[in-house]
């Protein structure tokens, strides 16, 4: 591997002791479980991985993984938020949030470097994702059928599932693992026959759509459909022979899923009808109020924003009308963030922070497709799977996490690291191993 390449592998680590590599493979396999289920465990695992990765990079003088335009933009974003902290209501808290936000993109870059050092680790990681996702989905179906999951956790309500999370986030977390597992299935089936890969893709995606639908999470369902559409578009563009069969199979799968959904009127009302109603009456619900409040914060502080993680503090201290509006809707205080990454960055980081955030995302998408083109095998759709995974979090209209939330961010940036590595490594090379 070329040392000066975009994400050169640490050569000395490749020739390291077997015991070290055994531990690395174990880490690759269990990393999805460590980051997915518990907030404290996820934060600790990510922090230790970053510290260890930086130590290894320093020890072996490996800095090629840093030379990436998207990472420059991400680190510049953290720096700008830190510089703007003195203008916020609570400079200390704002500075702390800005100061530690660099660990997300650095984690993703280090994780990709970790996978590229030995492609076998990437394959083990993908298998770990497959196992964890299978458990989450089966547990969710079990909870839907019986009322409790395998640990005895009851469903959140008649129309919402928790699965093993004891929180109605099972659809959100499934989204952030789904396209990694789907990519692995696609690679395996594509090596056998393209027709099997296309039919398997549609069949498994239909099952996934049904599961996300049953969770009752509206945003998770919508972005799942979006991500699936991106992958299907990739099939349409990269495998032209299968375009018409793809259209027919997709239509048949859609009819089947629609028929099954029709047997669940409460879920349809929760997932479809209530979504349309929320959009039509955006000014009369909490989601709309979040967006309006965020926009007003940006208008009052267009250059500096209100400060990293200061949405709630600014709203309660400087926006009495917004606070009163939240209370009228049954929310005792302003929410901690506007539940939209773009509005949150606009309100908290001002125009400079917002531009850097969007630039970072644009450069990530560009990296996926540039690396895929450079490595060949476009029919593997690696850039499309990576883009789907990115979109399920960063779709502009999605009500979603904030940039500074450690638990969900750990899973999100794990996916980014996977996408950076997978878009560069062909499936065959990863399967070959050491």
């Amino acid at each position: 591997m070329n040392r000066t390449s975009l994400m050169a592998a640490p050569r000395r680590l490749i020739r390291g002791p077997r015991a070290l590599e055994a531990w690395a493979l174990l880490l690759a396999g269990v990393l999805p479980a460590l980051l997915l289920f518990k907030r404290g465990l996820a934060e600790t695992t990510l922090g230790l991985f970053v510290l260890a990765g930086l130590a290894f990079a320093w020890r072996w003088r490996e800095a090629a993984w840093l030379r990436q335009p998207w990472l420059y933009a991400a680190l510049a974003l953290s720096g700008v938020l830190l510089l703007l902290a003195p203008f916020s209501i609570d400079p200390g808290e704002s500075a702390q949030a800005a100061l530690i936000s660099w660990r997300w993109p650095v984690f993703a870059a280090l994780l990709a470097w970790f996978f590229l050092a030995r492609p076998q680790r990437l394959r083990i990681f993908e298998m770990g994702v497959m196992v964890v996702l299978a458990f989450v989905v089966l547990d969710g179906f079990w909870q839907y059928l019986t009322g409790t999951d395998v640990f005895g956790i009851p469903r959140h309500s008649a129309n919402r599932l928790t699965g093993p999370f004891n929180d109605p986030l099972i659809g959100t977390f499934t989204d952030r693992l789904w396209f990694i597992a789907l990519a692995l299935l696609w690679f395996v089936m594509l090596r056998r026959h393209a027709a099997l890969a296309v039919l398997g893709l549609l069949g498994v995606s239909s099952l996934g759509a049904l599961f996300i639908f049953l969770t009752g999470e509206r945003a998770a369902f919508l972005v799942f459909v979006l991500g699936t559409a991106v992958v299907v578009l990739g099939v349409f563009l990269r495998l032209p022979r299968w375009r018409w069969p793809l259209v027919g199979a997709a239509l048949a799968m859609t009819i089947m899923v629609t028929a099954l959904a029709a047997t669940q009127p409460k879920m349809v009302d929760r997932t479809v009808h209530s979504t349309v109603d929320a959009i039509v009456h955006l000014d009369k619900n909490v989601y709309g109020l979040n967006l309006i409040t965020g926009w007003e914060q940006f208008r009052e502080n267009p250059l500096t924003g209100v400060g990293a993680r200061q949405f709630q503090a600014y709203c309660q201290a400087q926006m009495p009308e917004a606070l009163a509006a939240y209370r009228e809707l049954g929310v005792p205080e302003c929410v901690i963030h506007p539940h939209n990454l773009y509005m949150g960055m606009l309100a908290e980081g001002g125009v400079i922070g917002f531009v850097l955030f969007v630039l970072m995302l644009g450069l990530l998408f560009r990296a996926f497709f540039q690396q895929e083109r450079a490595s060949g095998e476009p029919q593997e759709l690696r850039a499309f799977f990576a883009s789907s995974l990115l979109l399920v979090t960063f779709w502009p209209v999605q009500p979603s996490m904030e940039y500074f939330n450690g638990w969900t961010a750990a899973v999100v940036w794990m996916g980014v690291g996977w996408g950076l590595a997978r878009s560069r490594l062909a499936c065959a090379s990863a399967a070959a191993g050491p």
Side-chain angles (χ1 to χ4, degrees):
M1 188 177 293
N2 188 351
R3 186 181 180 88
T4 61
S5 62
L6 178 63
M7 301 181 68
R11 294 181 179 179
R12 296 178 181 83
L13 186 56
I14 290 177
R15 297 195 295 266
R18 291 184 178 181
L20 181 62
E21 181 55 24
W23 282 108
L25 289 174
L26 176 63
L27 174 63
V30 301
L31 194 60
L34 293 175
L35 296 180
L36 189 66
F37 294 108
K38 293 293 183 181
R39 182 184 302 273
L41 183 60
E43 287 271 20
T44 302
T45 300
L46 184 144
L48 291 175
F49 186 94
V50 169
L51 292 175
L54 290 174
F56 274 109
W58 176 266
R59 172 66 179 83
W60 301 118
R61 299 296 188 266
E62 293 289 349
W65 62 275
L66 282 169
R67 296 193 285 269
Q68 303 177 72
W70 74 269
L71 186 56
Y72 297 154
L75 295 177
L77 174 59
S78 295
V80 166
L81 292 173
L82 181 60
L83 291 174
L84 295 176
F87 299 97
S88 65
I89 288 180
D90 188 340
E93 182 182 2
S94 181
Q96 181 183 11
L99 191 61
I100 64 176
S101 65
W102 63 270
R103 69 195 192 279
W104 311 132
V106 168
F107 169 66
L110 281 169
L111 187 61
W113 178 68
F114 174 76
F115 290 145
L116 290 169
R118 279 195 186 258
Q120 179 67 7
R121 298 174 186 169
L122 180 59
R123 188 60 178 266
I124 295 296
F125 170 80
E126 290 172 340
M127 293 174 65
V129 169
M130 182 79 75
V131 171
V132 169
L133 183 62
F135 166 72
V136 170
V137 172
L138 290 173
D139 187 67
F141 274 126
W142 180 261
Q143 188 182 56
Y144 176 78
L145 294 172
T146 67
T148 61
D149 80 333
V150 294
F151 301 111
I153 299 173
R155 50 194 301 169
H156 181 263
S157 66
N159 300 325
R160 294 290 296 273
L161 301 178
T162 66
F165 299 100
N166 198 22
D167 202 353
L169 295 171
I170 183 173
T172 299
F173 281 118
T174 298
D175 273 346
R176 289 169 181 144
L177 294 180
W178 183 267
F179 294 99
I180 300 176
L182 187 63
L184 179 59
L185 286 173
W186 171 263
F187 300 148
V188 171
M189 293 185 291
L190 188 64
R191 288 202 297 271
R192 297 184 177 181
H193 200 282
L196 179 64
V198 172
L199 290 175
L201 173 71
L202 292 173
V204 173
S205 296
S206 298
L207 177 65
L210 176 63
F211 174 73
I212 300 293
F213 172 78
L214 293 178
T215 68
E217 294 180 53
R218 296 172 295 186
F221 179 76
L222 291 176
V223 296
F224 178 89
V225 173
L226 169 70
T228 303
V230 171
V231 174
V232 171
L233 175 64
V235 177
F236 195 82
L237 295 176
R238 298 284 177 82
L239 284 81
R241 177 184 175 186
W242 299 97
R243 287 177 179 173
W244 285 112
L246 176 69
V247 171
L251 181 61
M253 294 293 182
T254 301
I255 292 173
M256 291 174 58
V257 170
T258 303
L260 286 171
T263 65
Q264 306 294 325
K266 291 183 179 180
M267 289 296 183
V268 171
D269 184 66
R270 161 71 190 173
T271 306
V272 181
H273 298 159
S274 64
T275 301
V276 174
D277 184 71
I279 295 172
V280 172
H281 302 98
L282 197 61
D283 59 333
K284 298 179 180 178
N285 57 65
V286 174
Y287 294 114
L289 181 57
N290 293 341
L291 296 176
I292 293 170
T293 304
W295 179 252
E296 289 301 318
Q297 290 185 4
F298 166 69
R299 288 185 59 190
E300 294 174 10
N301 307 272
L303 295 179
T304 64
V306 299
R309 216 168 197 192
Q310 296 297 296
F311 177 87
Q312 183 182 59
Y314 187 90
C315 174
Q316 298 194 165
Q318 302 291 332
M319 305 180 71
E321 293 183 358
L323 178 57
Y326 276 111
R327 288 173 175 169
E328 288 180 7
L329 293 173
V331 181
E333 58 184 7
C334 298
V335 297
I336 194 171
H337 60 92
H339 292 78
N340 182 279
L341 282 163
Y342 297 84
M343 185 58 72
M345 195 56 66
L346 200 61
E348 297 185 334
V351 66
I352 300 175
F354 177 80
V355 169
L356 286 172
F357 177 69
V358 174
L359 178 63
M360 176 192 69
L361 294 179
L363 291 172
L364 270 173
F365 282 112
R366 189 183 74 165
F368 292 156
F369 284 94
Q370 282 184 335
Q371 292 180 178
E372 184 197 58
R373 283 197 300 270
S375 62
E377 304 295 338
Q379 73 275 8
E380 289 183 355
L381 309 181
R382 285 171 280 127
F384 285 91
F385 282 110
S387 297
S388 295
L389 194 62
L390 200 61
L391 279 172
V392 297
T393 293
F394 295 107
W395 177 238
V397 298
Q398 180 196 9
S400 60
M401 67 162 198
E402 61 172 334
Y403 189 72
F404 310 102
N405 188 333
W407 186 18
T408 51
V411 181
V412 168
W413 290 99
M414 178 183 72
V416 173
W418 170 84
L420 288 166
R422 175 49 76 195
S423 61
R424 187 176 176 190
L425 285 173
C427 171
S429 66

